[in-house]
Amino acid sequence: MIGVLFERPILRALLVSTGIIMFAFLLMVLFKPVIFPILASFVLYALLQPLRNKLISIGFSDVVAILLILTALVTVLITSMILVIPMLIDQLSELQTRLPNLWNQILIWLKQVTLRLAETTGQHFDSEATLKSSLSNAQSWGTDTILNSATLLMQTAMALFLIPIITYFMLRDFQQLRNKLMGFIPNQGFELAWLIYYKIGKQLQRYLRGVMLQSTIISVIATAGFLLLGLDMALLFGLLTGLLNLIPYVGPLLSLIPPFVVTLSSPELDTVLLLGIPCVILLVQVIDNLFIVPTVIAQTVNLHPLVVLLGIVVFGASFGFLGMLLAIPAMTAGKIMFQGLLYGLQGEGPNFQSQT
Amino acid sequence: MTTANTSSIWGTLFRKPVAWHQQVASKWAKTPFFSGIPLKEIEKLSKNMHLRTFQADEYIFHNGDQGAGAAIILSGEIEIRVKKTVLAQLSEGDFFGEVSLVLDERRTADAIALTNCELAFFLRPELEEWTQRVPHHASKLTTNLARVLAHRLLHANQLLAQRRSR
């Protein structure tokens, strides 16, 4: 009975895909401490590989092409660090000085709310105790955040050091390593495996280029919008909006929080800003969904919204923010793999490329 | 005799071992496929080709399999069949499966190893990547490929005409 079931292409495709996905998941768990630099290097590899091909086609040797690309990359990284990072640090420290104001504001509101509640219901709430416990929680959260930030800073420094090195070796040796690994695939499935690999690679490369472009456009529009509103730290929040937009559905909502926090922390409440921030985010979303997604992203990702949402929750719970960013490309790869295996195992019917 | 022995000793000591991709390249260079393309360029391309060994009676591909590219025989013999009809017997230096370099279609025949054999596969995505890297050589190869396929078509037409005239 089980043997007969296993002869069905759909079950075999499902079983093989599940096995590969679980293996990939296990690898990600094992390499969790260095997962960020490895993935960032993969992203850079995918983005820079066509440029390398272009340089080789002009007449540069392989090594010279790689070195030229990496020199340009490191120069861009250092220049942007020199130009943007001090500005971001200034804006972050400003945010830090404003946080006590926000707490005070919350305290005042809470007092007002409890007073009103007491007036209308006739019952008194112990707002002082609630506030004290909330504050102590907030204090410990703050300490944790600072400690986490220190670790994050260390990890970022490590990543910045590792990324160019890993990218160099990937550009130089990845194809040979990949060929060796693919050599372990049995003769029967080797052609199909290569087709699936190339299809996934092409689709992910297209997706990556698309989201990079999308993120840049959204960051520019959001920064311009925030600047027009007169919001402090407009650059920081604009960049954050572009980055958070990579997380479907949840990202735009998350990008509302930081500018709101800053507006609420100012000594006098600015209602224009409070109304303007959601308008900017809404405008960004309209532009994104009407113009950017249909032209840049839609062709590369074709997943059901529910699958996307569940994927974001599962990946987010397992790998944090990075997992949320990874959810869509990982699920796209899984889908292509399953479809490719299914069409390959069916042995008849339409071809794989036109179906995916 | 002595000279030959000496040369073989010195040759063994100092001769650079021929890398597998050079062997593959020299085989491809003799086919109409790569005519007019410099050997160095074929060697570069061969580095990304895929060596596969098959046992006697093993299927290289089945009719209906998703095809990914062409293969050249480095050693051994193979047979191309449709059901029980033998279409061709191929040996060292011959190539087959070239339709898959152009079309994303399923294989239309079976390929079976008659003896233990070694093949080097050249896949469609690699041809596409090569086209981006060295377009002028790649265009030469696609012209050659078109010629090979056109010859096959002419041959098939002639066979069909002969059958009908009978």
Side-chain angles (χ1 to χ4, degrees), chain A residues 306-335:
Chain A
L306 186 67
V307 176
V308 172
L309 267 177
L310 288 175
I312 290 167
V313 173
V314 172
F315 274 79
S318 310
F319 302 104
F321 180 69
L322 196 65
M324 287 170 131
L325 294 180
L326 266 179
I328 286 195
M331 285 188 299
T332 307
K335 188 185 170 187

Side-chain angles (χ1 to χ4, degrees), chain A residues 257-309:
Chain A
I257 300 169
F260 262 132
V261 168
V262 166
T263 314
L264 290 172
S265 68
S266 55
E268 280 181 25
L269 206 61
D270 192 337
T271 42
V272 177
L273 265 183
L274 275 180
L275 289 170
I277 292 164
C279 287
V280 170
I281 301 285
L282 195 71
L283 178 76
V284 162
Q285 283 309 304
V286 169
I287 294 171
D288 187 30
N289 287 297
L290 282 183
F291 303 107
I292 306 172
V293 172
T295 48
V296 181
I297 311 283
Q299 301 260 316
T300 58
V301 179
N302 189 14
L303 297 167
H304 193 276
L306 186 67
V307 176
V308 172
L309 267 177

